[in-house]
């Protein structure tokens, strides 16, 4: 897939989507597209650490905050991509889109999970529209096309060391358009894939269009303040499925089997255990049993 993947092309596609409703807080100067970076999330977090204070005591954006709010860093390659729980996120050259954005909430009451949910719904909409594929969401932060994971999302908070206050979120998203398997672990080959198969040839400008559409959808959701859990629930690939639940370290070392019943209004996973008890999960990992 040979194309010009640059800020100019992404911006042009974003403007065409925004149409008569331009995003006043997102300007071309806030969009950067690199050939390679260690990690888009890590790079933005480093920049935030060097910035002046982003919010005042009332949690309103300062001048510095307005400058970095909705900053987007995208790349065609990551040398040290990051996933959840410290895992490596495979980010080979010319086969995906890896991008992160800064979001400064207007309130100091922040639920990072809801930003992950908003990003997942936004990217899923974009994949469906731009790639003409049907995507599904696997709780909490993965997007699938068919039986393969094609996108992962990592939301991280930025706290200033001096105050300990959470000032901003950095949301990182990696999308596999195609899947190169050189240097990939056997485990990953069994789980991950691309939106397009080896036999398909995406349009030369698809990378720019998919990034622009993803940003437009995500920013529209977050700006509106609307709750997209209903849409997230409809796109879930886990409902009524038997899964293995692996709690995060510190909760329990033992995995257990459960059936997924629903997704709660605050994006928790409602499951029923073999003994009939029900619980809502807000952390951990689930895999289809």
């Amino acid at each position: 897939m040979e194309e010009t993947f640059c800020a100019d092309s992404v911006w042009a596609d974003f403007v065409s989507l925004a149409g008569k409703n331009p995003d006043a807080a997102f300007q071309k100067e806030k969009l950067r597209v690199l050939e390679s970076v260690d990690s888009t999330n890590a790079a933005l977090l480093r920049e935030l650490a060097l910035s002046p204070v982003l919010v005042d005591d009332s949690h309103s954006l300062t001048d510095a905050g307005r400058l970095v709010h909705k900053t987007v860093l995208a790349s065609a390659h990551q040398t040290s991509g990051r996933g959840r729980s410290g895992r490596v996120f495979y980010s080979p050259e010319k086969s995906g889109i890896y991008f992160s954005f800064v979001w400064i909430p207007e309130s100091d009451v922040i639920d990072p999970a809801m930003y992950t949910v908003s990003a997942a719904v936004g990217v899923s909409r974009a994949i469906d529209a731009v790639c003409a594929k049907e995507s599904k969401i696997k709780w909490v932060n993965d997007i699938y096309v068919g039986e393969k994971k094609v996108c992962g999302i990592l939301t991280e908070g930025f706290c200033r060391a001096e105050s300990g206050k959470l000032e901003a979120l950095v949301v990182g998203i990696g999308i596999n358009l195609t899947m190169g398997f050189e240097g990939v672990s056997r485990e990953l080959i069994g789980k991950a894939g691309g939106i397009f198969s080896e036999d398909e040839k995406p349009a030369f400008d698809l990378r720019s269009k998919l990034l622009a559409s993803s940003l437009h959808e995500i920013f529209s959701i977050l700006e509106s303040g609307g709750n997209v859990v209903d849409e997230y629930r409809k796109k879930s690939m886990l409902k009524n499925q038997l899964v293995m639940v692996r709690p995060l370290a510190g909760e329990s070392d033992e995995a257990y089997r459960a059936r997924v019943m629903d997704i709660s209004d605050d994006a928790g996973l409602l499951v029923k255990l073999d003994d009939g008890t029900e619980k809502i999960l807000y952390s951990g990992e689930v895999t289809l049993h």
Side-chain angles (χ1 to χ4, degrees):
M1 179 170 46
E2 296 295 331
E3 92 280 38
T4 302
F5 182 50
C6 64
D8 286 344
S9 59
V10 176
W11 182 252
D13 287 327
F14 183 88
V15 170
S16 70
L17 289 168
K20 296 180 180 179
N21 298 302
D23 189 335
F26 183 46
Q27 303 298 325
K28 185 179 179 182
E29 292 74 19
K30 293 187 176 184
L31 171 65
R32 286 173 289 159
V33 179
L34 307 177
E35 289 187 8
S36 182
V37 68
D38 59 343
S39 158
T40 56
N41 260 35
L44 285 181
L45 286 168
R46 288 194 298 267
E47 292 178 13
L48 292 179
L50 297 174
S51 69
V53 174
L54 306 175
V55 293
D56 60 22
D57 291 340
S58 65
H59 215 82
S60 296
L61 273 65
T62 62
D63 289 343
R66 283 186 285 273
L67 282 174
V68 301
H69 180 54
K70 292 190 178 180
T71 293
V72 175
L73 179 62
S75 180
H77 177 225
Q78 292 184 124
T79 59
S80 301
R82 303 206 312 247
R84 293 180 74 204
S85 304
R87 292 190 180 92
V88 172
F89 190 91
Y90 180 62
S91 314
E93 294 182 80
K94 297 183 179 180
S95 64
I97 305 170
Y98 316 104
F99 65 101
S100 301
F101 64 89
V102 176
W103 190 271
I104 304 178
E106 296 180 355
S107 167
D108 57 357
V109 180
I110 299 170
D111 181 0
M114 297 307 292
Y115 290 86
T116 300
V117 166
S118 296
V121 170
V123 172
S124 183
R125 288 179 184 175
I127 290 173
D128 294 356
V130 176
C131 303
K133 301 283 185 176
E134 182 181 7
S135 59
K136 293 289 186 180
I137 299 172
K138 176 178 168 289
W139 184 88
V140 60
N141 66 325
D142 296 334
I143 298 175
Y144 277 62
V145 170
E147 299 180 353
K148 297 292 186 178
K149 173 182 171 179
V150 301
C151 174
I153 300 168
L154 176 65
T155 301
E156 297 183 281
F158 168 68
C159 292
R160 197 167 298 278
E162 300 89 335
S163 65
K165 179 189 290 185
L166 179 62
E167 294 188 20
L169 295 169
V170 175
V171 182
I173 299 166
I175 306 173
N176 301 326
L177 297 179
T178 57
M179 191 68 183
F181 292 109
E182 184 177 350
V184 183
S185 68
R186 186 183 300 274
E187 179 185 10
L188 190 59
I189 290 176
K191 296 178 179 178
I195 295 173
F196 297 96
S197 69
E198 294 182 10
D199 298 330
E200 295 176 292
K201 293 184 178 180
F204 78 96
D205 59 350
L206 183 134
R207 194 189 307 261
S208 292
K209 290 186 179 302
L210 183 56
L211 176 53
S213 182
S214 296
L215 292 173
H216 178 64
E217 293 288 355
I218 296 168
F219 287 171
S220 296
I221 291 169
L222 293 176
E223 281 290 1
S224 71
N227 190 318
V228 292
V229 171
D230 279 346
E231 188 173 352
Y232 183 84
R233 185 180 286 124
K234 291 175 183 177
K235 283 181 167 287
S236 173
M237 62 182 287
L238 294 182
K239 190 169 183 179
N240 298 320
Q241 298 289 328
L242 276 175
V243 297
M244 289 300 296
V245 180
R246 291 174 174 80
L248 293 178
E251 296 178 355
S252 170
D253 294 331
E254 294 187 6
Y256 56 90
R257 191 175 70 168
R259 183 174 295 278
V260 175
M261 307 303 293
D262 205 349
I263 291 173
S264 66
D265 290 341
D266 55 355
L269 191 69
L270 176 62
V271 299
K272 179 180 284 188
L273 281 59
D274 286 343
D275 64 6
T277 60
E278 295 186 357
K279 63 189 301 186
I280 299 178
L281 307 177
Y282 292 101
S283 63
E285 295 188 1
V286 297
T287 54
L288 287 170
H289 183 63

